[in-house]
Amino acid sequence: MGPRRLATTGGLAALVSVLIVLLYAARIGRRIGEPGVVSGLVVVLLVAVVAVAAWFAVVSARVRGQVARVARHRPGAPLFVGRPTTALTAEARNLRAGTRGLPPDCPDREHVVYAILTDRVELWVRGDDAPRWWVTLPAPVAAGTVRSGRRELDALTVRDASARLQLVPTSDAARAWPSRAHRAAAVAHARELLQR
């Protein structure tokens, strides 16, 4: 099962589990005094919690594994988890670098890793043993935003004579579910490193 299908299946399983719990709770609300009803409700709630927790754990483990892989190849380099964008897909086609793992060939919770070295910034896509491509530093940095689902996320674009790279840093740690504060700190830290 591919990563997109796995994430979609996990999300659907979690949604169905929650709906079953709600429907079951509505049905038994009238029969709460009958034997076995409360224990049945507890079992259904536990199944729903386990399904949601398992999906979160799979996504988190995938992000940690991706960061660890890049760290083995680039020890000591600042690494940022980020979101893949359609601009990356367009640039990958332009450079003939392959679009596997980039939109639309990836699930919503897919991530990429950016490695910021002293002389370049690299894009690592999950499963790659080498950077997909990079931009040589120093390079001009343009700030902007990109839409991801219903949210707008801060984006940084760096460009050299041969390539362009759009960065949407969400965390400077192996974090799959960053808060708004983590995203803001990651963008500020990445901008600082790119403009040094």
Side-chain angles (χ1 to χ4, degrees):
M1 184 179 286
R4 180 182 194 129
R5 204 158 172 196
L6 178 66
T8 303
T9 303
L12 285 174
L15 179 63
V16 168
S17 298
V18 169
L19 287 175
I20 288 171
V21 168
L22 292 175
L23 290 172
Y24 191 68
R27 183 167 181 236
I28 66 160
R30 289 172 260 136
R31 301 170 37 197
I32 201 74
E34 294 179 19
V37 171
V38 174
S39 59
L41 181 60
V42 169
V43 169
V44 171
L45 283 171
L46 284 174
V47 168
V49 167
V50 167
V52 171
W55 184 66
F56 274 77
V58 166
V59 173
S60 295
R62 192 169 37 192
V63 171
R64 283 193 306 274
Q66 184 180 358
V67 170
R69 177 188 288 251
V70 177
R72 282 193 300 275
H73 292 282
R74 298 293 182 260
L79 303 178
F80 293 86
V81 175
R83 298 298 294 269
T85 64
T86 54
L88 291 178
T89 306
E91 188 66 10
R93 286 190 184 116
N94 204 28
L95 297 171
R96 293 188 173 93
T99 59
R100 182 196 52 76
L102 298 173
D105 181 40
C106 65
D108 288 344
R109 296 307 309 183
E110 191 61 74
H111 287 76
V112 294
V113 175
Y114 314 108
I116 302 181
L117 310 174
T118 55
D119 61 338
R120 65 189 188 178
V121 56
E122 300 175 336
L123 172 71
W124 292 73
V125 178
R126 191 167 68 86
D128 288 355
D129 288 321
R132 190 68 61 95
W133 75 86
W134 62 85
V135 171
T136 305
L137 297 176
V141 179
T145 60
V146 66
R147 184 160 280 298
S148 176
R150 290 174 288 172
R151 291 179 300 182
E152 278 204 351
L153 301 175
D154 290 330
L156 303 171
T157 303
V158 291
R159 178 189 313 258
D160 64 12
S162 58
R164 178 175 63 117
L165 186 57
Q166 185 179 59
L167 293 82
V168 183
T170 56
S171 174
D172 55 2
R175 191 172 272 110
W177 311 98
S179 67
R180 182 177 293 162
H182 286 117
R183 290 193 303 269
V187 170
H189 187 202
R191 180 181 291 159
E192 177 188 315
L193 290 171
L194 291 169
Q195 293 178 328
R196 64 182 172 206

